[in-house]
Amino acid sequence: MDYETILVETHEQVGLLRLNRPKALNALNPQLVAELVSALQAFDADEAIRAVVLTGSEKAFAAGADIREMADMSAVDMLKADLIGTWDGIYQVKKPLIAAVSGYALGGGFEVALMCDMIIASETAVFGLPEVSLGIIPGAGGTQRLVREVGKGLAMEVILNDRRLSAEEALALGLVNAVYPTDTYLDEALALAAQIASRPPLAVRFAKEAINQAYETALTEGLLFERRGLYFLFSSEDQTEGMAAFLEKRSPEFKGR
Ligand code: CAA
């Protein structure tokens, strides 16, 4: 499929999506989000792909929702278009999704990174939610996801007072998994994705779902979800292979079945 606002690549078992509206610092307009969700769904459906990396440019992962396209909208326009509803497709991806963030990850850009499973940052990454300065609030999960990641006090400061977080701060907070020089952060994200891609896909999928349940449910329900996932995986060929390979002291060959 041809896209205008994103670039799609595959690196063996890893899919790579690059946000590509350089003149607007990858501002997330409806076309870009629709194309992004479509490409993510295509990777999700492709058996040859086992993990996905989402990146922007060195200067900007994404500078937020497109202010130019939103500026003149009324509340009723916003409600009818439900622009943010489409963004849920990013969080609904079943395969592991790693954000490789360099430069600005502001507003919706930060929120997209927060929807990903892991964040690898370059030294120049800056995370922030400046929506209040525009007279609005974050609308793609920022108020809910950031507080779960960094706690109430800091989330308040970031959102109410446009406090920006550097890559190093984000690392110390556990918000990002690792920080690398600008020259290598994308390769490192791809390498991490390739490692995960070598693991049994069904177990990886259930593990991701179970971890995300920790955000969605009470502990008892989450534990039940986890246990059912564990039991279910005993019906997979990969479980038989993984355990046999361990006992036979050889490398396993996982097929995703
Ligand atoms: N929407 C639309 N266009 C944007 C944009 C955005 N979010 N961010 C940057 N651009 C455009 C600029 O308008 C500019 O275009 P022109 O050359 O045509 O004027 C171009 O990208 C380059 O931007 P700057 O000249 O501003 O570049 P800079 O290096 O001086 O500054 C920046 C970079 C600090 C990121 C600055 O562009 C900025 O503050 N951007 C807006 C950040 C923001 O407020 N994001 C929140 C958006 S609202 C949101 O995301 C809602 C939600 O929750 C979903």
Side-chain angles (χ1 to χ4, degrees), residues 91-230:
Y91 182 61
Q92 284 158 0
V93 172
K94 295 185 181 69
K95 290 178 183 167
L97 179 57
I98 299 173
V101 176
S102 184
Y104 297 111
L106 298 180
F110 188 10
E111 292 173 298
V112 167
L114 288 170
M115 288 181 204
C116 295
D117 302 314
M118 287 160 259
I119 303 176
I120 299 296
S122 88
E123 287 163 344
T124 64
V126 179
F127 300 90
L129 292 168
E131 284 89 341
V132 162
S133 308
L134 298 167
I136 56 171
I137 62 169
T143 63
Q144 303 304 297
R145 291 198 174 98
L146 187 63
V147 72
R148 284 165 164 80
E149 298 277 347
V150 304
K152 180 176 156 182
L154 184 54
M156 288 283 184
E157 204 182 332
V158 169
I159 295 169
L160 273 53
N161 203 32
D162 195 5
R163 158 95 136 83
R164 310 270 164 112
L165 302 170
S166 68
E168 284 305 326
E169 282 178 296
L171 181 65
L173 289 162
L175 198 60
V176 310
N177 291 63
V179 179
Y180 296 102
T182 312
D183 287 349
T184 58
Y185 78 100
L186 183 55
D187 288 340
E188 295 286 354
L190 288 166
L192 175 60
Q195 276 176 13
I196 295 169
S198 73
R199 300 181 180 281
L202 290 174
V204 167
R205 174 175 165 170
F206 269 87
K208 168 172 169 164
E209 267 182 58
I211 292 166
N212 281 336
Q213 283 297 311
Y215 279 93
E216 305 282 351
T217 60
L219 182 61
T220 309
E221 287 164 50
L223 291 172
L224 191 60
F225 184 94
E226 177 191 79
R227 201 163 307 156
R228 285 193 181 138
L230 167 71

